[in-house]
Amino acid sequence: DAMVIQNPRYQVTQFGKPVTLSCSQTLNHNVMYWYQQKSSQAPKLLFHYYDKDFNNEADTPDNFQSRRPNTSFCFLDIRSPGLGDAAMYLCATSRGDRGYEQYFGPGTRLTVT
Amino acid sequence: AQSVAQPEDQVNVAEGNPLTVKCTYSVSGNPYLFWYVQYPNRGLQFLLKYITGDNLVKGSYGFEAEFNKSQTSFHLKKPSALVSDSALYFCAAYMDSSYKLIFGSGTRLLVRP
């Protein structure tokens, strides 16, 4: 059963054209995360929500924004994608207990042309 | 500074042989340690975790990990490797009292037939 769902799986956008990636979860978890992963490197945390509380990483570019309209959904908005933003974007969720693992979605592969 | 280290970029092993993927950590307080596996173009998949208790932790797909407090290590092991175990493996730990994971740089496991 799908628990963390990301749409689309593959996204192609043009340089500078805004794009939105979507994540939904059926786990009712408190925490939702967005990661950027390039070329088999470790995932890099962009931001996370604990319930409605938004936590931005200090080095996340302003170009990246996020929305969490309800418990189940979270969106990643890239306002003006550059070539360097081409990457795999991973959504993850967790129960908000540090003894609990994060569940990852399958990822969205973003290509910028 | 808190960190997770995976000293080997790649581990090669023959099918049927035991495998070890190394991980060391440096975190404040009690460590909450995790292993994830990633197959090509997929999200990260949780394998196992150490929170407290028995130093030998058993996880999915026959994997286990040994927590060693004195050596600050959490090595992933499997008694008999399969070709299908070939993937990218990440060790991770929670930072401080936050809900953010620190990832190691990843180790590519290649199991040859």
Side-chain angles (χ1 to χ4, degrees):
Chain A
D1 292 342
M3 295 182 288
V4 183
I5 302 160
Q6 291 189 244
N7 286 304
R9 293 292 314 279
Y10 299 90
Q11 175 74 57
V12 180
T13 190
Q14 293 177 337
F15 182 95
K17 186 174 181 180
V19 66
T20 295
L21 308 183
S22 155
C23 177
S24 63
Q25 55 139 338
T26 59
L27 298 163
N28 203 34
H29 282 170
N30 303 91
V31 193
M32 294 188 78
Y33 306 81
W34 278 106
Y35 291 90
Q36 180 191 66
Q37 187 183 29
K38 295 184 176 182
S39 308
S40 301
Q41 297 175 16
K44 177 182 181 299
L45 183 64
L46 296 174
F47 20 62
H48 73 281
Y49 280 91
Y50 193 116
D51 293 327
K52 288 192 174 293
D53 291 336
F54 177 70
N55 298 272
N56 197 29
E57 292 302 296
D59 58 353
T60 298
D62 292 339
N63 200 24
F64 291 82
Q65 305 283 320
S66 184
R67 298 169 281 135
R68 189 180 186 185
N70 54 52
T71 300
S72 301
F73 284 87
C74 196
F75 300 97
L76 170 62
D77 300 308
I78 309 177
R79 293 193 295 187
S80 181
L83 297 178
D85 296 327
M88 175 75 90
Y89 290 88
L90 298 168
C91 175
T93 72
S94 182
R95 210 170 60 183
D97 175 345
R98 292 177 71 238
Y100 200 70
E101 59 273 20
Q102 292 185 14
Y103 284 84
F104 283 80
T108 295
R109 170 78 63 188
L110 178 68
T111 300
V112 182
T113 61
Chain B
Q2 300 185 91
S3 63
V4 174
Q6 293 179 243
E8 301 154 317
D9 290 337
Q10 183 161 313
V11 169
N12 298 306
V13 65
E15 188 173 33
N17 282 1
L19 69 88
T20 299
V21 182
K22 295 179 180 177
C23 172
T24 58
Y25 66 90
S26 173
V27 298
S28 57
N30 293 324
Y32 292 75
L33 301 165
F34 302 82
W35 275 102
Y36 288 87
V37 60
Q38 187 176 31
Y39 296 98
N41 287 313
R42 305 289 292 275
L44 275 66
Q45 193 173 326
F46 169 72
L47 280 178
L48 50 78
K49 64 184 177 184
Y50 173 83
I51 304 303
T52 187
D54 198 351
N55 289 344
L56 185 63
V57 178
K58 294 190 182 298
S60 306
Y61 312 119
F63 283 94
E64 57 190 28
E66 187 170 8
F67 172 70
N68 187 317
K69 188 174 182 178
S70 62
Q71 297 185 6
T72 61
S73 67
F74 188 55
H75 300 332
L76 181 70
K77 301 183 180 185
K78 188 173 183 182
S80 179
L82 300 172
V83 172
S84 57
D85 293 330
S86 299
L88 186 57
Y89 290 80
F90 289 102
C91 183
Y94 272 120
M95 287 179 64
D96 291 326
S97 57
S98 80
Y99 300 98
K100 299 192 294 187
L101 279 176
I102 315 168
F103 284 93
S105 55
T107 299
R108 187 165 299 282
L109 174 66
L110 181 61
V111 182
R112 59 185 185 276

